[in-house]
mmCIF file of all heavy atoms in Angstrom:
data_model
loop_
_atom_site.group_PDB
_atom_site.id
_atom_site.type_symbol
_atom_site.label_atom_id
_atom_site.label_comp_id
_atom_site.label_asym_id
_atom_site.label_seq_id
_atom_site.Cartn_x
_atom_site.Cartn_y
_atom_site.Cartn_z
ATOM 1 N N SER A 923 -28.555 45.815 31.237
ATOM 2 C CA SER A 923 -29.812 46.186 31.895
ATOM 3 C C SER A 923 -29.888 47.654 32.288
ATOM 4 O O SER A 923 -30.959 48.244 32.286
ATOM 5 C CB SER A 923 -30.045 45.316 33.127
ATOM 6 O OG SER A 923 -28.963 45.432 34.035
ATOM 7 N N ALA A 943 -34.494 56.882 48.123
ATOM 8 C CA ALA A 943 -34.099 57.361 49.453
ATOM 9 C C ALA A 943 -35.169 58.269 50.038
ATOM 10 O O ALA A 943 -35.481 58.204 51.232
ATOM 11 C CB ALA A 943 -32.770 58.111 49.365
ATOM 12 N N ALA A 944 -35.745 59.109 49.186
ATOM 13 C CA ALA A 944 -36.796 60.022 49.636
ATOM 14 C C ALA A 944 -37.989 59.245 50.188
ATOM 15 O O ALA A 944 -38.513 59.565 51.262
ATOM 16 C CB ALA A 944 -37.236 60.920 48.486
ATOM 17 N N THR A 949 -41.265 57.440 54.656
ATOM 18 C CA THR A 949 -41.962 56.368 55.361
ATOM 19 C C THR A 949 -41.570 56.347 56.833
ATOM 20 O O THR A 949 -42.419 56.185 57.721
ATOM 21 C CB THR A 949 -41.648 54.997 54.721
ATOM 22 O OG1 THR A 949 -42.105 55.013 53.365
ATOM 23 C CG2 THR A 949 -42.325 53.865 55.467
ATOM 24 N N ALA A 954 -43.088 57.226 62.322
ATOM 25 C CA ALA A 954 -42.762 57.822 63.622
ATOM 26 C C ALA A 954 -43.917 58.691 64.104
ATOM 27 O O ALA A 954 -44.262 58.694 65.291
ATOM 28 C CB ALA A 954 -41.483 58.648 63.516
ATOM 29 N N ARG A 966 -38.074 62.849 67.690
ATOM 30 C CA ARG A 966 -37.057 62.084 68.425
ATOM 31 C C ARG A 966 -36.989 60.645 67.919
ATOM 32 O O ARG A 966 -35.897 60.099 67.715
ATOM 33 C CB ARG A 966 -37.360 62.107 69.928
ATOM 34 C CG ARG A 966 -36.300 61.406 70.762
ATOM 35 C CD ARG A 966 -36.633 61.438 72.239
ATOM 36 N NE ARG A 966 -36.528 62.763 72.816
ATOM 37 C CZ ARG A 966 -35.381 63.334 73.166
ATOM 38 N NH1 ARG A 966 -34.223 62.692 72.978
ATOM 39 N NH2 ARG A 966 -35.367 64.528 73.713
ATOM 40 N N ALA A 968 -37.794 59.495 64.951
ATOM 41 C CA ALA A 968 -37.212 59.458 63.610
ATOM 42 C C ALA A 968 -35.689 59.598 63.677
ATOM 43 O O ALA A 968 -34.951 58.877 62.991
ATOM 44 C CB ALA A 968 -37.808 60.573 62.743
ATOM 45 N N VAL A 976 -27.088 54.705 61.142
ATOM 46 C CA VAL A 976 -25.724 55.232 60.993
ATOM 47 C C VAL A 976 -24.744 54.443 61.858
ATOM 48 O O VAL A 976 -23.662 54.048 61.416
ATOM 49 C CB VAL A 976 -25.684 56.737 61.362
ATOM 50 C CG1 VAL A 976 -24.242 57.247 61.386
ATOM 51 C CG2 VAL A 976 -26.505 57.552 60.362
ATOM 52 N N GLU A 1029 -45.324 79.032 60.243
ATOM 53 C CA GLU A 1029 -44.348 78.635 61.261
ATOM 54 C C GLU A 1029 -44.069 77.139 61.210
ATOM 55 O O GLU A 1029 -42.941 76.700 61.430
ATOM 56 C CB GLU A 1029 -44.828 79.036 62.654
ATOM 57 C CG GLU A 1029 -43.767 78.752 63.706
ATOM 58 C CD GLU A 1029 -44.052 79.392 65.049
ATOM 59 O OE1 GLU A 1029 -45.083 80.067 65.175
ATOM 60 O OE2 GLU A 1029 -43.235 79.206 65.963
ATOM 61 N N GLN A 1052 -17.432 59.878 63.736
ATOM 62 C CA GLN A 1052 -17.668 58.474 64.092
ATOM 63 C C GLN A 1052 -18.223 58.382 65.504
ATOM 64 O O GLN A 1052 -17.742 57.606 66.351
ATOM 65 C CB GLN A 1052 -16.394 57.646 63.927
ATOM 66 C CG GLN A 1052 -15.938 57.551 62.476
ATOM 67 C CD GLN A 1052 -15.278 56.233 62.151
ATOM 68 O OE1 GLN A 1052 -14.556 55.674 62.957
ATOM 69 N NE2 GLN A 1052 -15.528 55.728 60.951
ATOM 70 N N SER A 1053 -19.243 59.177 65.741
ATOM 71 C CA SER A 1053 -19.888 59.235 67.044
ATOM 72 C C SER A 1053 -21.369 59.543 66.849
ATOM 73 O O SER A 1053 -21.737 60.327 65.969
ATOM 74 C CB SER A 1053 -19.256 60.342 67.902
ATOM 75 O OG SER A 1053 -20.052 60.616 69.038
ATOM 76 N N ALA A 1060 -28.872 66.425 68.538
ATOM 77 C CA ALA A 1060 -29.886 66.958 67.624
ATOM 78 C C ALA A 1060 -31.277 66.518 68.048
ATOM 79 O O ALA A 1060 -32.234 67.308 68.023
ATOM 80 C CB ALA A 1060 -29.593 66.501 66.202
ATOM 81 N N SER A 1069 -41.379 70.989 71.221
ATOM 82 C CA SER A 1069 -42.194 70.961 72.429
ATOM 83 C C SER A 1069 -42.507 72.374 72.912
ATOM 84 O O SER A 1069 -43.660 72.691 73.254
ATOM 85 C CB SER A 1069 -41.461 70.176 73.525
ATOM 86 O OG SER A 1069 -42.238 70.114 74.700
ATOM 87 N N ARG A 1071 -42.545 75.120 71.159
ATOM 88 C CA ARG A 1071 -43.428 75.811 70.221
ATOM 89 C C ARG A 1071 -44.872 75.331 70.376
ATOM 90 O O ARG A 1071 -45.807 76.139 70.361
ATOM 91 C CB ARG A 1071 -42.941 75.586 68.783
ATOM 92 C CG ARG A 1071 -43.698 76.385 67.751
ATOM 93 C CD ARG A 1071 -43.643 77.875 68.058
ATOM 94 N NE ARG A 1071 -44.854 78.543 67.593
ATOM 95 C CZ ARG A 1071 -45.487 79.511 68.270
ATOM 96 N NH1 ARG A 1071 -45.049 79.903 69.441
ATOM 97 N NH2 ARG A 1071 -46.554 80.066 67.764
#
Side-chain angles (χ1 to χ4, degrees):
S923 58
T949 299
R966 184 180 290 281
V976 173
E1029 185 168 0
Q1052 295 213 323
S1053 167
S1069 181
R1071 186 57 211 140

